[in-house]
Amino acid sequence: MHPFFIFVKCDLGKAYDVATSLVEEIEGVSEVHSISGPFELLVKVYIEEGHDIGRYVNEKIHLLPHIKDTQTIITFNAFT
């Protein structure tokens, strides 16, 4: 499994609704955090190696209601 992160900007007043939808409806979503700054949510996602991250974001995340914008962060290594 390969992790990546998505910053999500939501319609005003809809961050909790979007967070709930992400956790309950989208396969691969591991965690959703509320954050400060230009985005309301930080989403941690795991997908199978070799799967297309761009297609995942476009076909699963972007279709949810009340999402205005996203920024995807692709990771290389996890240090523990």
Side-chain angles (χ1 to χ4, degrees), residues 53-65:
I53 292 172
R55 183 174 296 277
Y56 177 94
V57 172
N58 279 286
E59 293 179 357
K60 296 192 181 289
I61 306 299
H62 287 172
L63 297 180
L64 289 176

Side-chain angles (χ1 to χ4, degrees):
M1 299 292 269
H2 185 78
F4 66 97
F5 296 85
I6 307 168
F7 288 117
V8 177
K9 186 177 289 190
C10 307
D11 289 330
L12 289 176
K14 296 296 182 178
Y16 281 76
D17 294 336
V18 172
T20 299
S21 294
L22 286 162
V23 169
E24 293 179 355
E25 299 174 23
I26 306 299
E27 183 179 346
V29 170
S30 168
E31 302 171 27
V32 178
H33 298 266
S34 59
I35 58 173
S36 62
F39 292 91
E40 285 77 38
L41 302 173
L42 174 63
V43 183
K44 185 175 185 180
V45 179
Y46 285 94
I47 62 172
E48 295 290 332
E49 292 290 335
H51 280 76
D52 186 333
I53 292 172
R55 183 174 296 277
Y56 177 94
V57 172
N58 279 286
E59 293 179 357
K60 296 192 181 289
I61 306 299
H62 287 172
L63 297 180
L64 289 176
H66 307 298
I67 291 181
K68 292 177 63 173
D69 193 14
T70 63
Q71 181 178 351
T72 302
I73 308 300
I74 299 170
T75 62
F76 301 108
N77 294 310
F79 300 96
T80 58

